[in-house]
């Protein structure tokens, strides 16, 4: 019985090591995102350069790509309601411009909810809001490359 309790204690104590919280430092990398709006699918390549800068580029199913745009972000803690109560979440809040029109700024938020770094590596769905589609909450599939 003592060995069983010891084993269970070790497993429970190490459970936090299995789920790595998303931070600006471990968010660095390349991501592919896919979302559907109506009958159209949008593909985006996102490259998080460091703890505050990123690049973003729209891609098409035939391999074409739009210009590479760049911007800055912060990773904020936020709260959201579920049927089980209030949960804490991480939200990527980004603003970017494109070389063709630096006066036009676009904003977007990625609500990661309770996702972990491991979820991003496997691929997961997140909620995205953007100034390009005001009032819409887009369910977006994101996978770290």
């Amino acid at each position: 019985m003592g060995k069983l309790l010891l084993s269970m204690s070790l497993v429970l104590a190490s459970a936090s090591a299995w789920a790595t919280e998303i931070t600006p430092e471990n968010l660095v990398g390349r991501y592919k995102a896919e979302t559907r709006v109506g009958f159209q699918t949008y593909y985006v390549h996102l490259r998080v350069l460091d703890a505050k800068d990123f690049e973003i580029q729209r891609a098409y199913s035939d391999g074409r790509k739009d210009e590479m745009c760049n911007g800055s972000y912060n990773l904020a803690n936020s709260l959201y309601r579920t049927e089980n109560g209030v949960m804490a979440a991480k939200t990527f809040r980004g603003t970017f411009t494109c070389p063709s029109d630096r006066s036009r700024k676009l904003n977007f938020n990625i609500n990661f909810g309770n996702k972990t770094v491991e979820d991003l590596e496997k691929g997961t769905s997140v909620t995205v809001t953007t100034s390009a589609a005001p009032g819409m909450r887009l369910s977006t599939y994101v996978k770290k490359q």
Side-chain angles (χ1 to χ4, degrees), residues 64-75:
R64 291 180 298 123
K65 296 177 185 174
D66 284 348
E67 65 185 326
M68 182 69 72
C69 303
N70 53 6
S72 60
Y73 77 96
N74 67 43
L75 194 62

Side-chain angles (χ1 to χ4, degrees), residues 1-8:
M1 185 66 162
K3 288 182 182 181
L4 180 61
L5 287 175
L6 178 61
S7 297
M8 290 300 288

